Amino acid sequence: MADVVTAPDAATTTATGPTPVPPQRPRRRPWSLQTRLMVTITAIVALILVGIAVAISAFLGQILRENLDGKVEDTATVTAQAHARMQGPPSAGQEVTAADVLSEVRQQGTLFVISPFAGDPTGAVVESDGTVTDLTTDQIDQVLGAIQYPGLTSIDIEGLGEYRVYVYQLQTYIGVVGLPLSEVQKTLAQIVTAVLLVTTAGLVLVGGAIVLIVRAGLRPLRAVAETATRVAAVPMSEGSVSIEERVPDDEADDRTEIGRVGHALNTLLDHVDASLAARQQNEERMRRFVADASHELRTPLSSIRGYSELSLRALRQGAASGIPLEETAETTSQSLERIQAQSLRMTTLVEDLLLLARLDEGQELVYGSVDLTRLTIEAVEDARPAGPDHSWQLEVDEEPVVLAGDATRLTQVVANLLANARTHTPAGTTVTVSVAREGSHAVLRVHDDGPGVDAALRDELFERFSRGDRSRARKTGGTGLGLSIAKAIVSAHRGTITAASVPGDTTFEVRLPARPADPAAS
């Protein structure tokens, strides 16, 4: 069998050994928004100022050159007139050199070259101290070789510098008159220096102003970031959580763009805080619900266990003592009756809890046409035998109030309200039940003149396992689920149930849409 040779990893090894992995360059820290804004705005302003400086310099330079051109032309006119005057008429045959002409003109910096059609050219220049100096042959040749006539041109003369010259032609010679560009260049350099200094100073001032404005403008955004950072550090997974952090009001002005961000964050934090509070409240309600349900179930279970043990003990003792079964039947029968009663109580509790769970899920409703008036009359007739020591009054219109709903569940609502009024009020209390149509709603009211609901219970009156026995005498025990079931059924019908109570005047009001939409269709 041939040997299998595994090739080394080409990315990590070579024939001479492992290839070193080049070190990764550290990532450059990104600029903050503030830095980017300041750099960008400063760069734009700098470009604008530099562009303005260049434009000003070019414009002033053009003006200076145009002024120099006009001055050169004027000087050429004066020099030509002086030359013509010194030379006299052509018949005189008098030869006048450039130095002779400039000795009369003596305008500082003036350059004059004469190139006769018959004869040698001459040239001279007026020095800064007013003396006239002849040009060398090479300088004259350089001038004559660089000129473009007729008109103005710029030439660079060795030993003298750059000149702006004007070329003109007469009958017997060509004249070149020029003035140095050094003054224009000097003036232009001074202007450029001044413009650069002013531009630099302006750029520094503008840069400082930009820094202050950007920092002040982004201060609300920094406040938002700092608030968000502090909120992010708050543990929110469990327990009671309250978010107290908010963007300061002066940094959350919704009239500005960044202020709207701060205002939006504050609104979001308000919603989150309310959601966390609701979550904590729901968790506490759920824990309390589980504890109450466990307590309610433990009592019948304990009773069932106790009576079953009592029955078994009686049977075992009778069997051990030889007692006939007929003599232990009475004890066993009583125990079984108590077991049955407790099992029925536990079954009722479990069914109520199951009903609440299904109503919370949007189930358990079968829609149909419901005559609320007839339903209420029947419920009151059923309540009279159960509460003979109460006075029952019924107020209904001649026209029946008909709506769309679940007749069985609405019957349960009315029965629970009547049972609540009967159970939690003393004998002799008058209970008045009324049904009416008000606008687009069917309204059911159950009123009694009993002692009223304790103020401490009003906020939790419709909560599960909420009992009113602290303020109302109760003849029979209950699970505390009656009103919570009534509220769940009414809410499932998209209605409302409220309670208003003062001593001697307690009213439970149910409002149902006359024709509610079927939830299963939504």
Side-chain angles (χ1 to χ4, degrees):
M1 181 177 180
D3 295 336
V4 178
V5 180
T6 303
D9 189 353
T12 57
T13 60
T14 61
T16 58
T19 301
V21 179
Q24 294 183 353
R25 297 179 59 185
R27 297 182 62 184
R28 183 176 60 85
R29 182 178 179 182
W31 285 2
S32 64
L33 176 61
Q34 176 177 301
T35 302
R36 292 200 302 270
L37 285 175
M38 290 190 298
V39 171
T40 302
I41 296 175
T42 304
I44 293 174
V45 173
L47 289 176
I48 293 174
L49 292 178
V50 170
I52 293 174
V54 171
I56 291 175
S57 300
F59 181 69
L60 292 177
Q62 182 65 26
I63 292 176
L64 291 175
R65 288 188 178 88
E66 290 178 357
N67 291 337
L68 180 61
D69 289 345
K71 191 176 180 180
V72 169
E73 291 178 356
D74 292 340
T75 303
T77 301
V78 173
T79 305
Q81 291 174 352
H83 184 205
R85 189 170 52 251
M86 294 177 64
Q87 188 176 16
S91 59
Q94 184 178 357
E95 293 294 336
V96 179
T97 64
D100 296 333
V101 177
L102 292 182
S103 297
E104 181 178 343
V105 175
R106 289 193 179 277
Q107 182 176 345
Q108 183 179 348
T110 303
L111 177 143
F112 185 39
V113 175
I114 300 173
S115 177
F117 295 147
D120 296 328
T122 62
V125 64
V126 180
E127 302 288 351
S128 58
D129 57 359
T131 60
V132 179
T133 304
D134 291 328
L135 299 179
T136 64
T137 303
D138 293 337
Q139 291 174 333
I140 294 173
D141 293 340
Q142 189 176 3
V143 171
L144 295 177
I147 61 174
Q148 298 176 359
Y149 52 87
L152 292 162
T153 186
S154 298
I155 59 175
D156 190 5
I157 304 173
E158 184 178 356
L160 295 179
E162 193 172 2
Y163 271 73
R164 186 71 170 169
V165 299
Y166 179 79
V167 181
Y168 64 93
Q169 181 178 350
L170 296 179
Q171 296 179 354
T172 59
Y173 70 95
I174 295 175
V176 179
V177 179
L179 291 175
L181 284 170
S182 58
E183 290 297 327
V184 173
Q185 294 170 346
K186 181 179 179 181
T187 304
L188 187 58
Q190 292 174 348
I191 293 174
V192 170
T193 302
V195 170
L196 289 178
L197 290 176
V198 173
T199 301
T200 303
L203 186 59
V204 172
L205 292 176
V206 171
I210 290 172
V211 171
L212 295 178
I213 293 173
V214 170
R215 287 181 63 85
L218 294 181
R219 184 170 59 246
L221 193 58
R222 288 196 299 272
V224 171
E226 292 170 358
T227 301
T229 301
R230 291 193 297 269
V231 172
V234 176
M236 302 182 188
S237 58
E238 59 183 359
S240 179
V241 180
S242 178
I243 302 177
E244 303 295 339
E245 297 290 343
R246 294 293 186 276
V247 179
D249 292 338
D250 56 344
E251 308 292 353
D253 188 354
D254 58 359
R255 293 173 298 179
T256 63
E257 291 82 357
I258 300 179
R260 284 199 292 270
V261 176
H263 184 268
L265 178 60
N266 283 346
T267 304
L268 174 62
L269 293 178
D270 291 338
H271 292 331
V272 172
D273 197 25
S275 299
L276 291 175
R279 183 204 67 182
Q280 181 64 18
Q281 185 178 5
N282 290 334
E283 290 180 356
E284 293 176 355
R285 184 183 297 113
M286 182 59 66
R287 285 194 292 267
R288 186 168 60 250
F289 171 76
V290 172
D292 291 341
S294 300
H295 177 75
E296 291 292 336
L297 290 173
R298 183 177 61 180
T299 300
L301 287 174
S302 299
S303 298
I304 291 172
R305 179 179 178 182
Y307 284 113
S308 63
E309 290 178 352
L310 178 62
S311 299
L312 289 174
R313 187 182 302 113
L315 291 174
R316 288 171 182 170
Q317 289 177 353
S321 303
I323 300 175
L325 290 176
E326 292 78 3
E327 298 182 10
T328 61
E330 182 178 357
T331 302
T332 304
S333 176
Q334 293 177 354
S335 299
L336 290 176
E337 289 177 357
R338 297 303 304 164
I339 289 173
Q340 183 182 23
Q342 294 298 328
S343 64
L344 290 175
R345 178 184 175 187
M346 186 168 60
T347 299
T348 301
L349 175 62
V350 171
E351 288 178 350
D352 287 344
L353 293 175
L354 181 60
L355 174 61
L356 286 173
R358 290 179 174 176
L359 288 173
D360 289 342
E361 295 177 356
Q363 304 177 9
E364 286 295 313
L365 291 184
V366 179
Y367 274 83
S369 179
V370 179
D371 186 344
L372 186 61
T373 302
R374 176 178 294 278
L375 183 152
T376 303
I377 293 173
E378 293 175 353
V380 172
E381 292 299 325
D382 293 337
R384 282 195 174 103
D389 52 355
H390 285 66
S391 175
W392 301 91
Q393 304 293 329
L394 186 62
E395 298 177 356
V396 296
D397 296 334
E398 294 182 0
E399 186 72 19
V401 177
V402 181
L403 53 85
D406 189 322
T408 302
R409 296 307 173 199
L410 291 178
T411 300
Q412 188 173 3
V413 170
V414 180
N416 285 355
L417 292 177
L418 296 180
N420 179 74
R422 182 187 72 249
T423 303
H424 299 289
T425 56
T429 301
T430 299
V431 180
T432 304
V433 183
S434 63
V435 179
R437 178 182 289 275
E438 296 180 1
S440 61
H441 289 84
V443 182
L444 166 71
R445 293 185 179 91
V446 178
H447 174 269
D448 67 72
D449 55 1
V453 180
D454 187 357
L457 293 175
R458 290 174 187 172
D459 293 338
E460 58 182 24
L461 193 59
F462 295 99
E463 299 295 335
R464 298 171 187 182
F465 297 106
S466 175
R467 296 181 179 86
D469 56 330
R470 286 176 289 178
S471 62
R472 294 184 176 191
R474 197 172 56 164
K475 293 182 178 180
T476 59
T479 61
L481 294 177
L483 291 180
S484 62
I485 291 176
K487 180 180 180 181
I489 294 174
V490 172
S491 298
H493 283 81
R494 300 185 181 181
T496 59
I497 180 170
T498 57
S501 178
V502 294
D505 185 4
T506 299
T507 302
F508 286 83
E509 181 183 273
V510 176
R511 284 184 172 269
L512 296 170
R515 293 179 178 83
D518 188 350
S522 58

